[in-house]
Amino acid sequence: FNGALCDGRCRSSTLPACARAEASPSMSESIFVYSRLRSVSNEVEVKPPGAVTVKNVAFTMNGVFNEDAKQADVYDQAAAPLVERVLAGFNSTMLAYGQTGSGKTYTMLGSEEAKANLDKELGEEHGIIPRASKQLFAGLRDGQTVQVSYVEVYNDSINDMLNPSYGKEKGMNLPLREVN
């Protein structure tokens, strides 16, 4: 996750970031920003729970995880509350944003070994998506349904990750709409 998704209090950055959005009249904020720093240079200072300073520029987030953070801890803080909101009937979105190689796939899916063993019990290396799926399906009540989208936005194209052949078979990507 590189970059920060802003809630009006932060500025764009080159820090790894993950944002979750919640729509709820009882919440004082509807966008939460988390950053997972894989390597901290001497130009980056982390001040838990959510402050990061890069080259003397301060960024405030809801939470910051260092490279030693466990997948379960990242999930429990950044994603589990979203699944609870979905189970309560609200729409939720989690967005991983960043440049290639910044750790988005690792955080969202887990290690290569964990991805190869998605059909087994959750392990330490499983990421946000397998953990959210388990929590979501365990929490659904009889008759309750859920719709899930898993997309990749890359070079102004949107790819459906649940049906990756869509763009190949149709010769096009999912439609991209701009809202003014």
Side-chain angles (χ1 to χ4, degrees), residues 10-21:
C10 64
R11 296 169 197 82
S12 63
S13 73
T14 58
L15 297 175
C18 171
R20 73 174 201 229

Side-chain angles (χ1 to χ4, degrees), residues 33-146:
V33 179
Y34 292 85
S35 181
R36 188 172 198 176
L37 302 172
R38 289 196 329 165
S39 63
V40 180
S41 73
N42 59 358
E43 297 177 336
V44 178
E45 182 182 0
V46 177
K47 298 175 186 174
V52 177
T53 303
V54 180
K55 296 182 180 180
N56 297 321
V57 178
F59 299 91
T60 302
M61 299 167 211
N62 296 91
V64 178
F65 303 99
N66 65 25
E67 60 188 307
D68 298 325
K70 296 182 184 210
Q71 292 280 60
D73 294 338
V74 173
Y75 179 77
D76 290 344
Q77 275 191 14
L82 277 181
V83 177
E84 289 300 321
R85 300 299 299 155
V86 167
L87 292 170
F90 293 93
N91 292 329
S92 294
T93 300
M94 175 157 279
L95 174 69
Y97 177 76
Q99 62 194 115
T100 301
S102 62
K104 299 177 300 296
T105 302
Y106 173 77
T107 299
M108 296 305 285
L109 293 175
S111 67
E112 291 299 321
E113 182 180 338
K115 288 189 291 187
N117 294 304
L118 288 175
D119 58 336
K120 298 189 175 153
E121 198 62 34
L122 285 180
E124 173 57 37
E125 292 295 309
H126 282 100
I128 288 172
I129 292 173
R131 291 172 190 278
S133 297
K134 182 177 182 175
Q135 180 185 359
L136 181 65
F137 289 111
L140 286 175
R141 296 181 303 274
D142 287 339
Q144 198 173 18
T145 62
V146 65

